[in-house]
Amino acid sequence: MAELVTVILAAGKGTRMKSSLPKVLHKVCGKEMVRCVLDAATAAGSKRNIVVVGFGADEVRAALGGAAEVVVQEQQLGTGHAVLQAEPLLRDAKGTVMVLCGDTPLLTVGLLKKLYDEHEKAGAKATVLTAIMPDATGYGRVIRTAAGDVEKIVEHKDATEQEREVREVNAGIYCFEKEALFSALAEVGCDNAQGEYYLPDVLSILRGRGEKIWAVAADDYEETLGVNSRVHLAQAERILRRRKNLELMESGVTLMDPDSTFVDADVAVGRDTVIYPFTWLEGRTSVGEGCTLGPSSRFTDVKIGDGVTAHFVYAHECEIGDGATMGPFVHIRPDSHISKDVKIGNFVEVKNSNVGEGSKLPHLQYIGDCDMGAGVNMGCGTITVNYDGKTKFRTKIGDHAFVGCNSNLVAPVSVGDNAYVAAGSTITKDVPPDELAVARARQKNIPNWPDKRK
Ligand code: UD1
Ligand code: CA
């Protein structure tokens, strides 16, 4: 069998989105719609993927990051015209071309496989995926003959009152025999309500030639929802989120309230992790086993180990080791590496720092640009003074150092292994290992003060 090639249409502006961002770059569950479609095609066995870009071509190309071949449709003259742009790239291709729209992010791998398998089995020149929509407004309607064969697809704007009653719609997803597709596209005109070259017209052209055209009905219309507006976007988001949450629960993750748990499409979560409400796991985040996350926490691009506890935490672009406990009210900023069994308590901010195994930051710390060893104890209110108004400097804290409450470590500075810093010190010189640094004014007590005051 020749290899499956997929063409994804993603050149449209998406006028109805009322956005400066190309429609297909709007995200559902943290992933650009066009990437959702592309990933589904790839997972369904498509060996070559060509994305037709146009409006915001550079942005779309950048978002694809080399994951697909790209061809530009300079003017958006319709879906049929868009597919034609891929023809030069398909000169040597043989067999089946699958065409998908970049605005149908809910497609599943199973559905695409079913479409492809049934197309091959039927030996049709064209197979269209259809769905019964509760509200078919805006979609192309599937018009069937009395015998039940697909006769044509009529766009909403071109449809008669009677045709608009039809709830079976074109999902905008097809398989074509390549030669038949391009020979029919050459005949597609633009004499319609939108003055566009409609891809679905290929079906009636082929039918007119006596060729076999076929339809596959999706069992679940939700998989075929096309996103044309922000309202559709929110619907798609809700459906994908529900699907993702179901997947997590089926794989052994406890969600205290799935309706208020927000996990992006590509996030992995290990077994026996428990997620409390209002928790967001975003982007390239991964979570190990047996963690307790949330409530009210947000993790963006964070690698979380096993057995981590975090509540009321915002962490982004960082790593959190096994057994760490954090929260409430903690902010872990980019390029931070929190090691195994670290304890971070309330009102702590960590930025661009390494915190060694078992170290404790229990309350009210600012740790920025710091390399901290293992078993360090940071007293309440300790601060790394990392910025002189011009340049950032690093602080180094050795293993098992003990930094007393309300100390400032003015970087660049180091505190050696097993060293102590007295509470209330402002440290401006390195503290050698095993030494105690006291850097505060000596206390003087003045007797009989009330009398002296008078
Ligand atoms: C299209 C179908 C309609 C179907 C619906 C399913 C046509 C004419 N209509 O309508 O039958 O029910 O999808 O969701 O095909 N695009 C381009 N270049 C263009 C125009 C569009 O690349 O010149 C891309 C868009 O970026 C989008 C996709 O094609 O990803 C579909 O275009 P859109 O305008 O959303 O078509 P619909 O009106 O939804
Ligand atoms: Ca659409």
Side-chain angles (χ1 to χ4, degrees):
M1 200 161 38
E3 61 176 27
L4 175 61
V5 179
T6 301
V7 176
I8 300 173
L9 308 184
K13 177 167 191 279
T15 313
R16 291 163 279 182
M17 295 296 284
K18 306 217 169 85
S19 177
S20 52
L21 190 69
K23 174 166 72 173
V24 297
L25 294 189
H26 284 263
K27 292 178 178 177
V28 287
C29 287
K31 193 160 159 178
E32 296 88 355
M33 292 199 276
V34 67
R35 282 214 74 122
C36 296
V37 175
L38 176 61
D39 287 358
T42 306
S46 176
K47 295 282 182 262
R48 257 188 93 186
N49 300 296
I50 299 167
V51 179
V52 183
V53 302
F55 180 78
D58 292 341
E59 279 172 274
V60 179
R61 196 194 295 267
L64 290 168
E69 295 169 58
V70 166
V71 62
V72 180
Q73 181 192 24
E74 295 292 352
Q75 269 184 298
Q76 284 74 62
L77 302 179
T79 48
H81 180 258
V83 174
L84 265 181
Q85 310 312 304
E87 191 180 16
L89 290 179
L90 294 174
R91 284 268 140 75
D92 301 326
K94 287 192 177 50
T96 303
V97 177
M98 185 157 74
V99 177
L100 309 177
C101 290
D103 65 350
T104 53
L106 300 173
L107 287 176
T108 60
V109 177
L111 185 61
L112 292 183
K113 278 189 173 158
K114 176 176 159 178
L115 173 73
Y116 179 56
D117 288 348
E118 296 207 14
H119 171 76
E120 298 290 307
K121 235 189 284 161
K125 293 291 185 199
T127 301
V128 57
L129 185 74
T130 76
I132 309 289
M133 287 287 169
D135 176 6
T137 309
Y139 287 91
R141 308 299 205 279
V142 179
I143 308 301
R144 291 182 182 261
T145 64
D149 296 333
V150 174
E151 187 191 333
K152 59 176 177 181
I153 285 160
V154 182
E155 289 308 301
H156 183 92
K157 288 187 177 148
D158 300 295
T160 62
E161 281 300 311
Q162 202 188 355
E163 286 167 336
R164 284 186 185 178
E165 299 284 303
V166 174
R167 281 171 47 233
E168 187 181 17
V169 307
N170 167 24
I173 294 151
Y174 324 76
C175 281
F176 297 103
E177 193 275 312
K178 191 200 99 178
E179 304 295 337
L181 168 64
F182 289 109
S183 79
L185 271 178
E187 282 180 33
V188 170
C190 59
D191 180 17
N192 53 50
Q194 302 183 82
E196 287 186 356
Y197 297 89
Y198 291 163
L199 176 61
D201 286 357
V202 163
L203 299 176
S204 42
I205 290 169
L206 290 175
R207 186 181 148 83
R209 290 183 191 170
E211 301 287 10
K212 181 168 186 179
I213 62 171
W214 199 244
V216 172
D219 296 327
D220 178 0
Y221 75 87
E222 287 191 341
E223 294 190 24
T224 66
L225 286 178
V227 171
N228 296 323
S229 67
R230 307 273 182 163
V231 173
H232 296 157
L233 188 69
Q235 280 166 349
E237 174 83 24
R238 196 176 317 115
I239 292 166
L240 202 60
R241 185 193 313 144
R242 207 174 56 209
R243 203 189 275 170
K244 178 75 187 182
N245 285 347
L246 210 63
E247 225 173 75
L248 291 177
M249 290 186 283
E250 278 167 356
S251 71
V253 177
T254 295
L255 304 183
M256 301 304 284
D257 178 16
D259 289 336
S260 59
T261 304
F262 307 84
V263 184
D264 278 358
D266 291 334
V267 171
V269 184
R271 289 170 74 136
D272 291 321
T273 282
V274 178
I275 303 178
Y276 281 78
F278 299 106
T279 296
W280 278 257
L281 303 176
E282 300 176 315
R284 295 183 307 278
T285 294
S286 68
V287 181
E289 297 186 0
C291 295
T292 304
L293 305 181
S296 298
S297 295
R298 183 177 186 199
F299 301 91
T300 311
D301 300 331
V302 184
K303 187 169 183 291
I304 302 175
D306 296 330
V308 169
T309 302
H311 56 294
F312 300 97
V313 168
Y314 175 34
H316 44 135
E317 296 168 61
C318 60
E319 261 183 58
I320 298 166
D322 297 346
T325 63
M326 296 192 287
F329 313 114
V330 166
H331 187 185
I332 312 290
R333 294 171 51 198
D335 302 312
S336 295
H337 301 269
I338 309 299
S339 306
K340 199 166 173 272
D341 298 330
V342 164
K343 182 177 184 306
I344 299 184
N346 34 212
F347 307 106
V348 175
E349 174 178 342
V350 179
K351 186 214 83 169
N352 187 23
S353 293
N354 301 302
V355 179
E357 192 174 325
S359 287
K360 292 188 172 73
L361 282 64
H363 1 248
L364 301 158
Q365 270 85 23
Y366 170 64
I367 305 298
D369 304 306
C370 177
D371 300 301
M372 190 185 296
V376 170
N377 190 88
M378 298 294 283
C380 178
T382 47
I383 282 171
T384 55
V385 183
N386 61 329
Y387 188 46
D388 66 2
K390 277 199 200 118
T391 315
K392 301 269 166 76
F393 298 98
R394 293 196 77 82
T395 299
K396 192 174 178 328
I397 303 174
D399 292 344
H400 305 290
F402 185 101
V403 181
C405 290
N406 202 30
S407 301
N408 305 306
L409 306 177
V410 182
V413 77
S414 74
V415 176
D417 291 349
N418 305 307
Y420 285 70
V421 170
S425 294
T426 292
I427 300 295
T428 53
K429 290 188 295 197
D430 290 350
V431 183
D434 302 308
E435 295 191 10
L436 165 68
V438 188
R440 65 182 183 223
R442 236 173 226 290
Q443 182 173 338
K444 183 163 109 182
N445 293 347
I446 302 170
N448 300 323
W449 181 244
D451 293 341
K452 286 186 180 142
R453 249 184 107 199
K454 282 176 210 149

